[in-house]
Amino acid sequence: MEEKVYEVPADWAKRAYVDDTKYRAMYEASVRDPEAFWGEHGKRIHWFHPYHRVKNTSFAQGKVSIRWFEDGTTNVAYNCIDRHLPARAKQTAIIWEGDDPAESRHVTYQELHDEVCRFANVLRNRGVGKGDTVTIYMPMIPETAFAMLACARLGAIHSVVFGGFSPDSLASRIADCRSKVVITADEGLRGGRKVPLKANTDAALERLGNTVEHVVVVRRTGGAVNMEPGRDVWYHEAAKMVTSECPAVEMNAEDPLFILYTSGSTGQPKGVLHTTGGYLVYAAMTHQYVFDYHDGDIYWCTADVGWVTGHSYIVYGPLANGATTLMFEGIPTYPSISRFWDVVDKHKVNVFYTAPTAIRSLMQAGEEPVTRTSRASLRLLGTVGEPINPEAWEWYHRVVGEGRCPIVDTWWQTETGGILITPLPGATRLKPGSATRPFFGVKPEIVDAEGKVLEGPAEGNLVIADSWPGQMRTVYGDHKRFMDTYFSTYPDKYFTGDGCRRDADGYYWITGRVDDVINVSGHRMGTAEVESALVAHPKVSEAAVVGYPHDIKGQGIYAYVTLMAGEQPSEDLRKELVAWVRKEIGPIASPDLIQFAPGLPKTRSGKIMRRILRKIAEDEFGNLGDTSTLADPAVVDDLIHNRQNKR
Ligand code: WTA
């Protein structure tokens, strides 16, 4: 197959921080002597006390320990705000675009300072200090960024929970990190529809007993909500009682900054823990180089701050760089399918970063909703969250970017803190569908099932051989789980959970998860979580969940469900189960297809053979592999015969 290659546009080679020659030299230096490289680049942020020790990391079996800049002290909020004030007090830090196109707001760095200090004082008055955890369950409004930065200012650890999660999901995340303070809003607003955030919070707290002492409620829609006297306080009222000065607490580089829960192959979501110094250095540096961010650029990442992309590339990376970052409350299709491009024109966006699923869904509506807008300000496009198919890449490039904007296809994970494999727009020839080459300091390797490192063009599993500053440090409260999950499959290496191919040019092509994690519209879902939600339903006896290829979402959720004896499958029950999962986890976990199965394929020892279920969901019946270990081979015929297909 002829591979398409896009050269670096001439104007990009000229304006960018790095061209190909410089990339190669910097990359080579970064992996040859990480101490020297990061010792130098660590200085890009302000340190109250400079570090002397740069890298102290080990991936060794049973002894995994990751420490960067460990004797330095700093504060993330200081770096994202105070440090910029002499030059940027009047510059816009955050452009907020509301769900309603008539609503937008510019927050300058000075205002950001004042708002964050006020928020920090409100929290401090409620006992929040260094090392405390605060759960943030908020819509996409500037106050969400203020709340995160306020925690960072005080040295508190925030745990942002995506506003689309259910009360149960919120409750288990509050319980896991034992937050005594929760920040939420009356309601969120998306596509003209209200999201009952405060009501969900109330429901979550009811399940938890009296563990949460304070709920700070930001008024967004003005909708009626219940306020629990003594526990709940309106933010706008509390903020009136405090000043706009609050000192930034001096933090050690390795003090925790935030927890973010993410799905894995097994069990409950785990609390990915990121710390202060290395995370910020890495988020800021990748933001600058990957998006080639220059002063004055208007930068827009469409992610939600409930995900890591929002943490690193809406809030921390851009603000550490003194950038202007756009925060969008709404959805791509409201009030019209041109919304993204209308916002680009309205705010003269230069850099636009989104998910492949959004591109695929907009593609369906044809070119006109795009071409009727100008988009003249756009210079660079980016994608994140899942593999992008070449057709969607080409459409994004040709229609949205009019052939003049390079696309940075950025591969990374909640665990990695920042982008690990990506083109640099002034340096990298692009191949549609490839995340291309490693960022500075990143050592990807491809290994086979036995862990043998494969050289040259190869396909296998993706591991990273050495640490980088943005790497997660542990699973909150469970270091053993951290080591078992990421460092035991391939001893002494970080295992990503992704499959990958490397071509003859050394370009990396991510092929998707190789574990029981599925990627639905760029959102990570553990199949185990959906299964446990399904079996919690009184009529369900057993469930197995797998991913299947979905034209828009990338992967859809396919659930095989065995009912309790005496229960009859029906369309109504199918709907009931979908609604049930939405209620248990949240809308992002809704099964796309449910197949009622009298039995699931199991080994004689009772283990469900997911490989077979995956093949059936993917329509690959001819290729089921070895079925000789099945306890009851007839089960498979029934599954094939009754498979669901609504693609
Ligand atoms: C997938 C999102 C292909 C991958 C930042 C990874 C990608 C998981 C890409 C992490 C990409 C992310 N190409 N696949 N450019 N970016 N992924 O933790 O499977 O929500 O392991 O972090 O998304 O998802 P997470």
Side-chain angles (χ1 to χ4, degrees):
M1 204 175 72
E2 180 77 27
E3 220 169 47
K4 229 170 167 176
V5 179
Y6 290 86
E7 298 296 330
V8 175
D11 53 325
W12 268 93
K14 244 184 283 149
R15 71 154 253 155
Y17 290 109
V18 294
D19 61 12
D20 188 49
T21 312
K22 190 156 177 212
Y23 165 78
R24 286 171 195 272
M26 275 176 81
Y27 180 75
E28 208 277 317
S30 73
V31 291
R32 180 171 21 90
D33 190 350
E35 298 262 349
F37 183 86
W38 291 111
E40 190 52 37
H41 288 282
K43 293 183 200 149
R44 64 177 297 123
I45 68 167
H46 177 81
W47 297 87
F48 297 145
H49 283 285
Y51 49 83
H52 299 284
R53 183 131 201 217
V54 175
K55 181 176 188 285
N56 179 10
T57 66
S58 166
F59 286 2
Q61 279 274 285
K63 289 188 231 131
V64 179
S65 163
I66 297 152
R67 306 182 66 81
W68 285 88
F69 313 113
E70 62 184 327
D71 55 349
T73 67
T74 183
N75 179 286
V76 166
Y78 181 91
N79 272 285
C80 290
I81 306 167
D82 308 51
R83 183 170 60 122
H84 305 312
L85 290 179
R88 302 185 193 275
K90 295 201 176 102
Q91 183 199 310
T92 300
I94 299 174
I95 300 175
W96 176 72
E97 170 75 11
D99 186 54
D100 176 346
E103 273 194 284
S104 52
R105 177 176 169 194
H106 284 242
V107 179
T108 65
Y109 272 94
Q110 184 63 54
E111 288 163 345
L112 183 65
H113 170 272
D114 297 355
E115 298 280 0
V116 168
C117 285
R118 241 181 243 121
F119 218 123
N121 284 327
V122 167
L123 295 176
R124 199 166 56 167
N125 285 347
R126 280 158 185 79
V128 174
K130 196 168 182 165
D132 294 332
T133 58
V134 173
T135 296
I136 300 178
Y137 182 63
M138 288 279 277
M140 286 288 287
I141 55 178
E143 285 75 9
T144 309
F146 304 159
M148 293 163 75
L149 289 160
C151 290
R153 197 164 188 90
L154 297 172
I157 309 164
H158 61 67
S159 161
V160 181
V161 176
F162 174 57
F165 277 123
S166 68
D168 271 340
S169 301
L170 174 61
S172 63
R173 286 158 172 79
I174 294 172
D176 185 80
C177 68
R178 293 186 209 94
S179 295
K180 292 203 164 63
V181 175
V182 175
I183 302 170
T184 188
D186 49 2
E187 296 169 314
L189 201 54
R190 291 184 81 240
R193 305 215 328 227
K194 293 182 173 158
V195 185
L197 296 173
K198 177 61 166 67
N200 286 351
T201 304
D202 290 344
L205 298 198
E206 213 164 281
R207 291 169 179 57
L208 293 174
N210 292 324
T211 59
V212 170
E213 292 164 11
H214 299 284
V215 180
V216 178
V217 187
V218 175
R219 193 166 61 193
R220 165 62 190 107
T221 63
V225 295
N226 162 62
M227 294 292 279
E228 194 72 26
R231 186 194 70 183
D232 302 350
V233 62
W234 284 108
Y235 175 69
H236 63 273
E237 288 174 5
K240 274 191 220 139
M241 326 284 273
V242 297
T243 71
S244 55
E245 286 299 332
C246 175
V249 174
E250 181 169 350
M251 303 299 287
N252 182 268
E254 284 301 337
D255 283 334
L257 176 65
F258 66 83
I259 300 165
L260 193 53
Y261 288 88
T262 195
S263 300
S265 334
T266 53
Q268 285 292 311
K270 42 185 175 292
V272 168
L273 185 85
H274 283 287
T275 58
T276 297
Y279 170 79
L280 193 65
V281 167
Y282 198 76
M285 183 156 171
T286 46
H287 173 261
Q288 180 192 336
Y289 284 91
V290 174
F291 302 107
D292 205 66
Y293 189 87
H294 285 74
D295 258 359
D297 287 351
I298 308 291
Y299 162 88
W300 179 17
C301 163
T302 69
D304 191 284
V305 285
W307 310 114
V308 74
T309 308
H311 283 58
S312 299
Y313 298 114
I314 294 177
V315 179
Y316 291 120
L319 295 178
N321 289 337
T324 299
T325 180
L326 194 149
M327 192 174 185
F328 176 44
E329 185 182 36
I331 57 172
T333 49
Y334 178 85
S336 88
I337 194 139
S338 296
R339 184 69 191 275
F340 271 175
W341 326 120
D342 287 341
V343 175
V344 165
D345 286 348
K346 176 174 174 186
H347 298 292
K348 303 282 174 289
V349 170
N350 306 117
V351 182
F352 178 76
Y353 188 32
T354 196
T357 187
I359 299 162
R360 286 192 299 263
S361 74
L362 296 177
M363 225 170 114
Q364 286 207 316
E367 300 182 13
E368 196 276 335
V370 187
T371 54
R372 72 168 173 241
T373 64
S374 156
R375 286 156 294 110
S377 57
L378 282 180
R379 199 166 48 227
L380 179 64
L381 303 173
T383 66
V384 58
E386 43 172 330
I388 182 164
N389 46 314
E391 304 72 51
W393 195 103
E394 295 283 357
W395 188 84
Y396 195 28
H397 189 259
R398 177 176 58 80
V399 181
V400 176
E402 296 177 339
R404 67 191 147 75
C405 305
I407 297 176
V408 287
D409 172 355
T410 63
W411 174 84
W412 59 297
Q413 309 177 298
T414 307
E415 293 88 338
T416 70
I419 295 163
L420 294 198
I421 302 183
T422 178
L424 299 183
T428 315
R429 301 159 79 221
L430 304 174
K431 299 185 190 179
S434 172
T436 75
R437 304 188 290 195
F439 191 72
F440 308 128
V442 175
K443 287 171 79 171
E445 286 178 354
I446 293 182
V447 293
D448 67 13
E450 280 70 51
K452 186 167 152 282
V453 177
L454 307 175
E455 305 293 337
E459 183 159 354
N461 289 344
L462 180 65
V463 300
I464 313 290
D466 197 2
S467 185
W468 62 99
Q471 185 171 23
M472 77 183 279
R473 301 304 196 252
T474 194
V475 171
Y476 187 72
D478 197 347
H479 198 64
K480 182 166 183 305
R481 188 169 176 200
F482 175 58
M483 295 194 284
D484 291 348
T485 307
Y486 302 105
F487 300 91
S488 67
T489 318
Y490 301 107
D492 305 347
K493 307 200 186 226
Y494 169 77
F495 177 41
T496 63
D498 278 317
C500 185
R501 174 168 75 81
R502 186 176 48 224
D503 70 17
D505 292 327
Y507 276 35
Y508 291 84
W509 301 71
I510 308 294
T511 51
R513 301 288 304 197
V514 294
D515 53 10
D516 291 318
V517 170
I518 52 183
N519 197 323
V520 184
S521 300
H523 300 318
R524 243 169 102 162
M525 252 350 289
T527 52
E529 286 165 70
V530 185
E531 287 164 8
S532 64
L534 283 166
V535 295
H537 189 281
K539 292 182 184 163
V540 174
S541 127
E542 211 170 16
V545 169
V546 297
Y548 72 98
H550 186 289
D551 287 347
I552 307 271
K553 299 180 177 184
Q555 279 187 299
I557 300 181
Y558 195 116
Y560 298 88
V561 170
T562 306
L563 295 175
M564 293 287 189
E567 298 295 345
Q568 291 308 316
S570 70
E571 235 6 83
D572 282 348
L573 181 54
R574 194 172 269 141
K575 286 196 192 111
E576 186 180 321
L577 292 178
V578 171
W580 174 268
V581 174
R582 290 171 73 93
K583 182 181 74 58
E584 291 276 305
I585 304 176
I588 55 170
S590 309
D592 296 279
L593 297 172
I594 293 182
Q595 174 169 0
F596 292 111
L600 297 173
K602 291 186 186 163
T603 61
R604 284 180 206 113
S605 59
K607 213 169 154 315
I608 293 175
M609 294 183 76
R610 294 165 172 287
R611 179 176 50 82
I612 292 178
L613 294 175
R614 244 179 256 129
K615 292 280 185 210
I616 295 172
E618 285 166 5
D619 266 342
E620 303 221 8
F621 322 129
N623 184 16
L624 289 183
D626 182 11
T627 52
S628 62
T629 52
L630 274 173
D632 177 9
V635 172
V636 174
D637 298 331
D638 176 83
L639 289 176
I640 293 175
H641 188 69
N642 291 307
R643 84 170 287 283
Q644 298 293 302
N645 196 344
K646 292 203 203 106
R647 233 173 287 162

